[in-house]
Amino acid sequence: MNELLDYFKKNIPISLEIENKLKGIIKEKRLIKGETILSDNSVKKEHVFVVSGCLRSFYKTENGKEHTIQFAIKNWWISDYITLYTDNKSVISIESLTHSKVLIIDNSKVEKFYKEFPQFETIQRKNFEKRTAALHKRILSLLALSATEKYNQFIKDYTDFEKIIPNYQIASYLGITPQSLSRIRKERIKT
Amino acid sequence: MNELLDYFKKNIPISLEIENKLKGIIKEKRLIKGETILSDNSVKKEHVFVVSGCLRSFYKTENGKEHTIQFAIKNWWISDYITLYTDNKSVISIESLTHSKVLIIDNSKVEKFYKEFPQFETIQRKNFEKRTAALHKRILSLLALSATEKYNQFIKDYTDFEKIIPNYQIASYLGITPQSLSRIRKERIKT
DNA sequence: TGCAAAAATGAACCTATGGTAATAAATTAA
DNA sequence: TTAATTTATTACCATAGGTTCATTTTTGCA
């Protein structure tokens, strides 16, 4: 809870009034490794803020293949953004890769909050700006880079938590098979 | 100009004051086919609104390969979102695929506008929501779909202007070669 | 209208990455 | 600590899609 307040306080002053209102709409949740919050076919429109630990969102195809959309650690937001922002039914799951603590906020509450305290809408708008740039970069990598190049970039961009994440999930984030990633890792060691 | 006003009026009432302020910050520009607005290495932080015609943004590698990030027609926004929202120097170009008319707004002016008229920040926030969902969908397609599946989806999603866009650019949007796309198109006709 | 340039297709060949399966290593649970 | 389970590696074959280069078709403009 305080982690999120600190997160906001980096941007704007938080009055006691706001603080209390925020506390009223936030659900705190502890997750064990492997636990799933939002899962496939749910229709919950929720924002998830990571206080500690590491989570990921992914899509699972009919034939069981997983495709990782996002990883998130401390102070990151993660959600099923397709369900959150469209009327599509959910195809995304979010699972915890470690013990972790998250804060969950219902989107309808968020909407009201924007109206009441427009300064939060500004924070959110700026977040969107950063994320939009990041998503465009991701698309560019997926379009333009080879498997090896994508992996190198991943290592560079995610140094912080690359070690926490199992390789098969990194592979699924890069759009390659675990076997392929293993091959690449072998080559890297050589040189 | 009026096209953009109409676009906004779908969401909020536009007073004469706002209308005039808007007119003050918008540059109108006509483009001929093949003309480039934002190009590689520019540092302009600009929003582009398409009034008529069709544009695309793309990244060109050192060895001359193009990777299309986005297409845009009437009433769409297009920009180099990486330059716009980070401090990275631009690697993206935006070119016009047809004769077209666009409105260009400097990002610094947009920022001021949000402050002065918060209702525009709300519009923008909602735009971001829709776009975020779309970008996530795009990433999912790139991760999970075969070349053929991506093409089928493209045809479905972009029926409106699929015909305007040359196949080699569609290929570069899907992350495949023109030859590959040609192969796929041949197969489609069969069945 | 006709010709140059651009785009699309086609065919032959190649390679990066996928699929499968078996083994080994590491992690978890009991 | 050991057994069970999950993850990573390896090897070998298969294939989707890339590469190259030639040909046809379309487009644009003089």
Side-chain angles (χ1 to χ4, degrees):
Chain A
M1 186 56 234
N2 292 318
E3 298 83 357
L4 183 57
L5 291 175
D6 290 346
Y7 171 89
F8 285 135
K9 281 176 186 160
K10 271 183 282 172
N11 298 287
I12 50 164
I14 302 283
S15 69
L16 211 60
E17 185 206 357
I18 294 180
E19 190 165 328
N20 287 328
K21 289 240 177 174
L22 267 175
K23 284 185 178 156
I25 64 172
I26 291 174
K27 286 177 288 178
E28 192 173 305
K29 195 161 188 178
R30 285 176 184 279
L31 302 168
I32 60 166
K33 184 172 179 173
E35 191 172 353
T36 292
I37 17 175
L38 293 176
S39 62
D40 224 342
N41 284 317
S42 76
V43 285
K44 289 186 209 141
K45 296 186 185 254
E46 293 177 336
H47 300 252
V48 180
F49 180 81
V50 182
V51 173
S52 65
C54 182
L55 308 241
R56 76 162 175 141
S57 61
F58 63 96
Y59 165 68
K60 197 169 186 171
T61 63
E62 323 75 55
N63 55 73
K65 275 178 201 150
E66 290 180 1
H67 302 277
T68 297
I69 297 176
Q70 194 201 338
F71 295 108
I73 52 170
K74 188 174 156 42
N75 283 344
W76 290 42
W77 293 93
I78 187 168
S79 294
D80 171 356
Y81 290 105
I82 298 174
T83 305
L84 197 47
Y85 296 137
T86 70
D87 296 326
N88 298 19
K89 74 174 208 297
S90 172
V91 292
I92 303 298
S93 304
I94 298 183
E95 73 167 8
S96 185
L97 306 188
T98 58
H99 272 81
S100 58
K101 194 170 127 189
V102 299
L103 306 175
I104 300 179
I105 316 178
D106 207 81
N107 193 48
S108 58
K109 307 256 175 64
V110 171
E111 289 274 355
K112 279 182 207 143
F113 220 76
Y114 292 149
K115 287 215 180 68
E116 208 168 348
F117 307 106
Q119 61 269 45
F120 281 90
E121 187 151 49
T122 303
I123 294 184
Q124 177 68 326
R125 192 253 306 161
K126 286 182 181 162
N127 271 336
F128 271 128
E129 292 182 346
K130 274 186 241 137
R131 286 188 217 153
T132 298
L135 290 172
H136 276 253
K137 280 190 194 171
R138 172 105 187 267
I139 286 169
L140 263 189
S141 319
L142 289 173
L143 288 178
L145 302 185
S146 71
T148 308
E149 290 167 327
K150 282 186 280 184
Y151 183 59
N152 289 338
Q153 198 185 65
F154 181 85
I155 300 263
K156 224 174 77 195
D157 292 352
Y158 292 82
T159 349
D160 292 355
F161 53 117
E162 175 239 317
K163 285 113 202 155
I164 309 172
I165 304 169
N167 287 326
Y168 79 92
Q169 290 181 9
I170 295 179
S172 86
Y173 178 87
L174 301 177
I176 62 179
T177 57
Q179 291 85 337
S180 234
L181 180 55
S182 196
R183 208 151 35 191
I184 290 165
R185 287 163 54 78
K186 195 176 163 193
E187 281 307 309
R188 294 186 110 238
I189 291 161
K190 274 197 201 161
T191 53
Chain B
M1 187 55 234
N2 292 321
E3 297 83 357
L4 183 57
L5 291 176
D6 290 345
Y7 171 88
F8 286 134
K9 280 175 189 162
K10 269 182 284 173
N11 298 286
I12 50 165
I14 302 284
S15 68
L16 212 62
E17 184 204 358
I18 294 180
E19 188 165 329
N20 286 327
K21 289 239 175 171
L22 267 174
K23 283 184 178 157
I25 64 173
I26 290 174
K27 287 177 286 179
E28 191 173 307
K29 196 162 187 176
R30 285 176 183 279
L31 303 167
I32 60 163
K33 183 172 179 172
E35 189 171 355
T36 292
I37 17 176
L38 294 174
S39 64
D40 223 344
N41 284 317
S42 75
V43 284
K44 288 186 211 140
K45 294 185 186 257
E46 292 177 339
H47 300 252
V48 179
F49 180 83
V50 182
V51 174
S52 66
C54 181
L55 310 240
R56 75 162 178 145
S57 61
F58 63 96
Y59 165 67
K60 197 170 185 171
T61 63
E62 324 75 57
N63 54 72
K65 273 177 201 147
E66 290 181 1
H67 301 278
T68 297
I69 298 176
Q70 194 201 339
F71 296 106
I73 52 169
K74 188 173 158 44
N75 283 345
W76 291 41
W77 294 92
I78 187 168
S79 292
D80 171 357
Y81 290 104
I82 298 174
T83 305
L84 195 49
Y85 297 135
T86 70
D87 295 328
N88 298 20
K89 72 172 210 300
S90 171
V91 292
I92 303 298
S93 304
I94 297 183
E95 73 167 8
S96 185
L97 306 188
T98 58
H99 274 80
S100 59
K101 194 169 128 189
V102 298
L103 305 174
I104 299 178
I105 316 179
D106 208 82
N107 192 48
S108 58
K109 307 254 174 66
V110 172
E111 290 273 356
K112 277 181 209 144
F113 221 76
Y114 291 149
K115 287 215 180 66
E116 208 169 345
F117 307 104
Q119 61 269 45
F120 281 90
E121 189 151 47
T122 304
I123 294 184
Q124 178 66 328
R125 192 253 307 162
K126 286 183 181 162
N127 270 337
F128 271 128
E129 294 182 345
K130 272 186 243 138
R131 287 188 217 153
T132 298
L135 290 172
H136 276 253
K137 279 191 195 171
R138 173 103 186 266
I139 286 168
L140 263 189
S141 319
L142 289 173
L143 288 177
L145 301 186
S146 71
T148 307
E149 290 166 327
K150 284 187 280 185
Y151 183 58
N152 289 338
Q153 198 183 65
F154 181 85
I155 301 263
K156 223 175 79 194
D157 293 352
Y158 292 82
T159 349
D160 290 355
F161 52 115
E162 175 240 318
K163 285 113 202 153
I164 308 171
I165 304 169
N167 286 327
Y168 77 96
Q169 292 181 7
I170 295 179
S172 86
Y173 177 88
L174 301 177
I176 62 178
T177 57
Q179 290 85 338
S180 233
L181 180 54
S182 196
R183 218 159 13 198
I184 290 163
R185 288 163 53 78
K186 196 178 162 190
E187 281 307 308
R188 294 186 111 238
I189 291 161
K190 272 196 203 163
T191 56

